[in-house]
Amino acid sequence: MKLIIAIVQDEDAGRLVGALMEKGYGVTKLATTGGFLRAGNTTLLLGVEDEKLSTALGHIEKICKSRRQFVNSNMTSLDPAMGMGLPSNIEIMVGGATVFVLDVQQFQKY
Ligand code: 2BA
């Protein structure tokens, strides 16, 4: 069994959870905050059988979009000293999804 930890944009979270639930995956949705933008994002926890891993990752890849975002560098966690000389508005590409896959040693429901 694997544990998928997927950090996705709020805009994609509802659709992704809907699609995963419809396919019978167990999903936990956490409201989280990105360290760089200090803005809300969504972290999903999914425990999946090994043979369903690639299908689950396929749903995440299909639904989560990359988005261009313009941010004021003063609003990020960038050290202001490092930003010297940089334009205050910077363009970054966020997403589609940041995904970690971990081996699950034990799975119990009590
Ligand atoms: P944030 O930390 O708010 O980062 C949002 C986006 O800002 C990132 O998109 C990336 O495009 C940009 N970014 C992050 N750090 C940067 C830096 N030092 N300089 C310039 N640009 C930077 P993604 O890479 O798609 O990440 C989306 C969210 O996924 C992140 O939100 C964070 O919550 C999570 N994440 C990304 N990599 C992670 C990691 N290695 N471990 C844990 N969480 C991670």
Side-chain angles (χ1 to χ4, degrees), residues 7 33-39 41 78 92-95 98 100:
I7 304 159
T33 303
F36 184 68
L37 293 180
R38 298 168 178 165
N41 54 26
L78 274 181
I92 55 166
M93 191 65 88
V94 185
T98 301
F100 301 88

Side-chain angles (χ1 to χ4, degrees), residues 23-59:
K23 301 287 178 195
Y25 290 96
V27 184
T28 296
K29 180 171 175 263
L30 306 171
T32 46
T33 303
F36 184 68
L37 293 180
R38 298 168 178 165
N41 54 26
T42 298
T43 298
L44 301 182
L45 304 180
L46 290 95
V48 300
E49 297 305 331
D50 288 7
E51 59 273 17
K52 293 178 86 181
L53 174 65
S54 62
T55 317
L57 294 176
H59 288 298

Side-chain angles (χ1 to χ4, degrees), residues 36-37 68-78 82-83 85-94:
F36 184 68
L37 293 180
R68 222 177 279 276
Q69 228 172 293
F70 288 91
V71 291
N72 188 309
S73 57
N74 300 322
M75 304 296 285
T76 70
S77 62
L78 274 181
M82 284 176 60
L86 281 177
S88 55
N89 273 322
I90 54 172
E91 184 185 341
I92 55 166
M93 191 65 88
V94 185

